[in-house]
Amino acid sequence: DQQVKQNSPSLSVQEGRISILNCDYTNSMFDYFLWYKKYPAEGPTFLISISSIKDKNEDGRFTVFLNKSAKHLSLHIVPSQPGDSAVYFCAATSTRTSGSRLTFGEGTQLTVNP
Amino acid sequence: DVKVTQSSRYLVKRTGEKVFLECVQDMDHENMFWYRQDPGLGLRLIYFSYDVKMKEKGDIPEGYSVSREKKERFSLILESASTNQTSMYLCASTPVFLRTDTQYFGPGTRLTVL
């Protein structure tokens, strides 16, 4: 039972344009959401997070939007840069019940073309 | 800087061998995790530990065991390796009861079972 789903295995965008990565979840207990970025041969690194009490969180070029009623979140990267090419994982947790245990999605390979 | 290290970057073993994957973190974190990453499946939690000598099963513990004798070290053991355990193994750590975005990952071990 995949509780966090990233339906797009890959996404290709031109440098300077917007990248939008999507994530859906099914567990209504999830109240904290994170995005991780992973380069080949490296471990994932934390990118940005959002609590369920918010619907938007912004950090530089990265913005995460949360739509609780749709159980959907998205990561926007503007403008996209070639160095953003990586696999992006969406993750979720219930801070009341799961502590720091995360449930990850399948990942989306983003390719930013120069 | 938090550092999570894993004993090997690449490992090749034969079916039936006992395999040890070691993870060490240097930030006195209480929580440690073992994941495997497979294409199209994302990161799946194998085992985690909230303290020394404590362990809990994750989503896919079958065929694995763990050991946490010291706070900084968390070992993943494949008692009898099988070809379906060929994967990228990632270790992570995080301090207890703090923000869940501080889950730090090691570089990963690419295990091939022949």
Side-chain angles (χ1 to χ4, degrees):
Chain A
D1 171 25
Q2 190 73 19
Q3 296 185 67
V4 178
K5 281 199 70 65
Q6 295 175 253
N7 289 312
S8 298
S10 62
L11 175 68
S12 183
V13 299
Q14 286 299 121
E15 182 178 5
R17 307 294 285 267
I18 185 170
S19 295
I20 300 176
L21 295 94
N22 294 303
C23 178
D24 296 296
Y25 63 95
T26 58
N27 189 337
S28 56
M29 296 294 290
F30 288 150
D31 60 358
Y32 197 80
F33 305 89
L34 307 91
W35 286 93
Y36 279 80
K37 173 175 164 179
K38 184 181 185 299
Y39 292 118
E42 293 184 15
T45 54
F46 168 74
L47 192 57
I48 192 168
S49 61
I50 188 166
S51 165
S52 61
I53 62 173
K54 295 185 174 182
D55 53 21
K56 177 182 172 181
N57 188 27
E58 196 170 347
D59 183 2
R61 296 185 297 115
F62 303 91
T63 303
V64 57
F65 295 92
L66 175 62
N67 182 334
K68 289 188 291 294
S69 60
K71 292 191 175 69
H72 177 83
L73 62 155
S74 60
L75 174 68
H76 292 211
I77 307 173
V78 183
S80 302
Q81 299 173 353
D84 296 329
S85 297
V87 177
Y88 289 78
F89 291 101
C90 169
T93 186
S94 169
T95 56
R96 285 165 290 172
T97 60
S98 303
S100 51
R101 175 176 174 170
L102 300 176
T103 300
F104 285 85
E106 303 94 328
T108 296
Q109 171 70 58
L110 173 66
T111 303
V112 180
N113 302 302
Chain B
D1 261 1
V2 174
K3 193 145 186 170
V4 180
T5 56
Q6 295 183 228
S7 50
S8 306
R9 296 300 298 271
Y10 299 94
L11 211 50
V12 179
K13 295 291 181 181
R14 298 220 171 265
T15 301
E17 279 193 77
K18 190 168 186 174
V19 182
F20 292 87
L21 302 181
E22 298 233 309
C23 175
V24 177
Q25 49 92 5
D26 66 358
M27 280 302 290
D28 202 36
H29 288 170
E30 290 82 3
N31 301 335
M32 296 188 75
F33 305 83
W34 274 106
Y35 296 89
R36 60 179 284 178
Q37 181 199 353
D38 300 288
L41 296 176
L43 277 68
R44 293 179 292 166
L45 182 63
I46 306 171
Y47 266 97
F48 58 106
S49 169
Y50 286 138
D51 205 345
V52 176
K53 296 197 186 293
M54 291 182 68
K55 59 186 178 186
E56 292 201 36
K57 293 180 180 179
D59 299 317
I60 51 163
E62 297 78 19
Y64 303 94
S65 62
V66 289
S67 171
R68 187 139 182 229
E69 296 295 320
K70 293 186 177 181
K71 191 175 186 180
E72 67 271 17
R73 190 179 297 268
F74 192 33
S75 301
L76 180 69
I77 303 153
L78 288 67
E79 294 290 341
S80 177
S82 63
T83 54
N84 63 12
Q85 292 178 310
T86 292
S87 186
M88 169 69 84
Y89 289 88
L90 292 158
C91 174
S93 73
T94 188
V96 71
F97 299 131
L98 293 182
R99 295 169 59 202
T100 56
D101 54 9
T102 50
Q103 195 163 126
Y104 299 91
F105 283 84
T109 296
R110 170 72 64 186
L111 172 67
T112 301
V113 183
L114 301 174

